[in-house]
C-alpha cells in the first residue's frame, strides 16, 4: 500500500526525485464496486454514504444521517451509457425527488428537470458557436447563464447575474484554478502516482462523451473539478480558497492511500485545522 503525502512534504520529496518516472500500473484492471464516504463534525461521524457501482458507474446510494436518524436512497438510471434519471427516496420506497436529463444527437445535454415537493425546475441549454446559453426556470423565476468555450470546445468561463467565473487548466485539462467574483481557488496534484484510466474518481463515465456535460448537469462551472474533462487525470492533493473580500484562506488537504496497481483504497480530507472531515473507502471487484 502506498500513501500519497500532501502539500509541503510532497514538494520536498519531488525536489529530490526529479528523475523518477511517473508511476501508473494498468496491467491489472480494478473495477470499482462500492465506495463508502463518512463525514465528520468535530471527530464524530455525521453522514455515512454507501455508493454501489455497476459497469464503473454509480448504481445506487444509501445515505444515513446519524444526528437525526434519517436515511435517503438514490437510484441511477442510464440509457446508452448516459445518466438519464436520478431518483431520490425517503424512506426507501417513497419517491421524494427526481432529476431527469435530455441529450441531443451529439451527446450534449440539452435539458435538465428537477422535481420535488418544493421545487419545479427546468434548465434548457442552447448551443451557438462558442457559447452555451443556459436558461433556467425555478418555480416561475427565470435566470440565464452563458458558458464560453475555448478553441478545444471546453468550457472555461461562466457569466451570470453575479459576475464572471473563469477556469485555468493545465495542458491536460486538469483544473488548476477557478476565479470567481469574490474568491479564487487553486488546486495542486500528485505528479508521480497517476490514476488508472478506468478509475471512477468523481463523476467520470456518467454523462456520455461530451466533455462539458458534468458542468451542464449542475449548471455550474465549479463542477469542472469533478468532471472527466481531463485528458490525463491526476490525484488532487489540495484545494486552497482565498476569499478576496475578507482575505480569509480556506485550505483542504487530500491524502490518498493506493494499492499496488495505483487504485485508491482510501482518501482522507482535512480542513484548515488538520481535522479529518471526510473519509472515502473504495472497494473493487
Amino acid at each position: 500500500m502506498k500513501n500519497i503525502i500532501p502539500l509541503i512534504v510532497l514538494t520536498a520529496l519531488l525536489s529530490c526525485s526529479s528523475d523518477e518516472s511517473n508511476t501508473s500500473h494498468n496491467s491489472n484492471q480494478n473495477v470499482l464496486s462500492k465506495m463508502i464516504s463518512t463525514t465528520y463534525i468535530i471527530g464524530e461521524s455525521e453522514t455515512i454514504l454507501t455508493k454501489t457501482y455497476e459497469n464503473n458507474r454509480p448504481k445506487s446510494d444509501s445515505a444515513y444521517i446519524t444526528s437525526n436518524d434519517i436515511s435517503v436512497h438514490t437510484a441511477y438510471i442510464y440509457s446508452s451509457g448516459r445518466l438519464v434519471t436520478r431518483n431520490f427516496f425517503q424512506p426507501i420506497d417513497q419517491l421524494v425527488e427526481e432529476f431527469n436529463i435530455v441529450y441531443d444527437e451529439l451527446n450534449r445535454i440539452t435539458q435538465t428537470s428537477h422535481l420535488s415537493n418544493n421545487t419545479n425546475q427546468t434548465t434548457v441549454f442552447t448551443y451557438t458557436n462558442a457559447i452555451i446559453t443556459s436558461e433556467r426556470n425555478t418555480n416561475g423565476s427565470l435566470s440565464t447563464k452563458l458558458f464560453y468555450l475555448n478553441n478545444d470546445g471546453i468550457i472555461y468561463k461562466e457569466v451570470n447575474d453575479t459576475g464572471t467565473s473563469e477556469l485555468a487548466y493545465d495542458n491536460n485539462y486538469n483544473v488548476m484554478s477557478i476565479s470567481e467574483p469574490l474568491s479564487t481557488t487553486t488546486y495542486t496534484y500528485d505528479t508521480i502516482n497517476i490514476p488508472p484510466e478506468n478509475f471512477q474518481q468523481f463523476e467520470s463515465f456518467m454523462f456520455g462523451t461530451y466533455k462539458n456535460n458534468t458542468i451542464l448537469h449542475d449548471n455550474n462551472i465549479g463542477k469542472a473539478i469533478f468532471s472527466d474533462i481531463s485528458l490525463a487525470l491526476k490525484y488532487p492533493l489540495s484545494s486552497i480558497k482565498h476569499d478576496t473580500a475578507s482575505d480569509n484562506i480556506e485550505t483542504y488537504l487530500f491524502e490518498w492511500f493506493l494499492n499496488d496497481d495505483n487504485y485508491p483504497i482510501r482518501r482522507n480530507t482535512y480542513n484548515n485545522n488538520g481535522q479529518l472531515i471526510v473519509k472515502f473507502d473504495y472497494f473493487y471487484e
Side-chain angles (χ1 to χ4, degrees):
M1 182 181 73
K2 291 181 287 185
N3 172 211
I4 301 179
I5 306 170
L7 284 181
I8 297 173
V9 178
L10 178 73
T11 303
L13 289 175
L14 291 179
S15 66
C16 298
S17 310
S18 58
D19 60 341
E20 183 175 353
S21 60
N22 291 345
T23 302
S24 180
H25 303 285
N26 291 309
S27 57
N28 296 317
Q29 292 279 310
N30 293 213
V31 179
L32 188 63
S33 61
K34 182 171 67 173
M35 181 192 71
I36 300 176
S37 65
T38 307
T39 60
Y40 298 88
I41 297 179
I42 317 178
E44 299 292 330
S45 62
E46 169 65 14
T47 304
I48 301 172
L49 183 145
T50 301
K51 186 186 293 287
T52 62
Y53 292 80
E54 187 175 78
N55 299 321
N56 218 26
R57 300 182 182 93
K59 179 182 178 181
S60 64
D61 290 349
S62 179
Y64 176 66
I65 304 171
T66 59
S67 59
N68 50 17
D69 195 27
I70 290 178
S71 294
V72 180
H73 305 272
T74 309
Y76 298 80
I77 300 172
Y78 297 85
S79 177
S80 301
R82 305 172 302 193
L83 181 69
V84 292
T85 299
R86 197 167 68 245
N87 291 327
F88 300 85
F89 301 87
Q90 184 186 348
I92 195 168
D93 58 348
Q94 183 176 337
L95 181 65
V96 294
E97 191 172 335
E98 184 177 350
F99 191 94
N100 295 299
I101 307 171
V102 178
Y103 301 83
D104 66 10
E105 68 280 0
L106 299 178
N107 284 313
R108 304 176 301 188
I109 292 178
T110 57
Q111 180 175 304
T112 62
S113 59
H114 178 197
L115 300 173
S116 68
N117 290 337
N118 301 315
T119 302
N120 185 341
Q121 182 182 85
T122 300
T123 308
V124 176
F125 300 94
T126 56
Y127 297 80
T128 308
N129 297 323
I131 299 175
I132 303 172
T133 302
S134 159
E135 296 177 295
R136 170 166 285 183
N137 183 329
T138 305
N139 298 333
S141 177
L142 305 180
S143 61
T144 300
K145 290 184 177 183
L146 299 177
F147 295 101
Y148 289 81
L149 310 182
N150 63 16
N151 291 336
D152 291 328
I154 301 299
I155 291 174
Y156 75 96
K157 182 168 67 174
E158 173 190 320
V159 178
N160 57 43
D161 292 341
T162 63
T164 299
S165 299
E166 191 160 346
L167 295 166
Y169 297 100
D170 68 8
N171 290 336
N172 288 313
Y173 280 109
N174 295 289
V175 177
M176 301 306 296
S177 68
I178 177 169
S179 299
E180 300 175 276
L182 297 177
S183 66
T184 298
T185 304
T186 57
Y187 301 91
T188 64
Y189 297 88
D190 179 25
T191 57
I192 294 179
N193 296 283
I194 305 302
E197 291 181 0
N198 73 321
F199 174 56
Q200 224 277 10
Q201 179 159 278
F202 295 114
E203 294 181 351
S204 308
F205 319 127
M206 291 177 62
F207 304 108
T209 57
Y210 186 58
K211 292 292 189 178
N212 295 312
N213 277 344
T214 302
I215 293 175
L216 302 178
H217 170 266
D218 281 68
N219 200 38
N220 184 346
I221 197 172
K223 290 293 288 188
I225 189 67
F226 301 112
S227 74
D228 54 0
I229 288 175
S230 173
L231 302 176
L233 197 64
K234 296 179 181 179
Y235 291 122
L237 294 180
S238 72
S239 164
I240 304 172
K241 183 176 182 178
H242 179 205
D243 189 307
T244 53
S246 64
D247 204 31
N248 181 58
I249 295 178
E250 190 175 52
T251 300
Y252 294 98
L253 305 182
F254 311 111
E255 182 182 31
W256 297 83
F257 297 84
L258 310 178
N259 66 17
D260 291 339
D261 296 309
N262 260 31
Y263 289 87
I265 57 175
R266 175 169 292 178
R267 172 164 66 93
N268 293 333
T269 302
Y270 302 91
N271 64 12
N272 279 0
N273 300 318
Q275 296 173 320
L276 176 66
I277 57 172
V278 188
K279 179 185 70 172
F280 295 86
D281 290 301
Y282 300 90
F283 303 86
Y284 301 91
E285 296 177 358

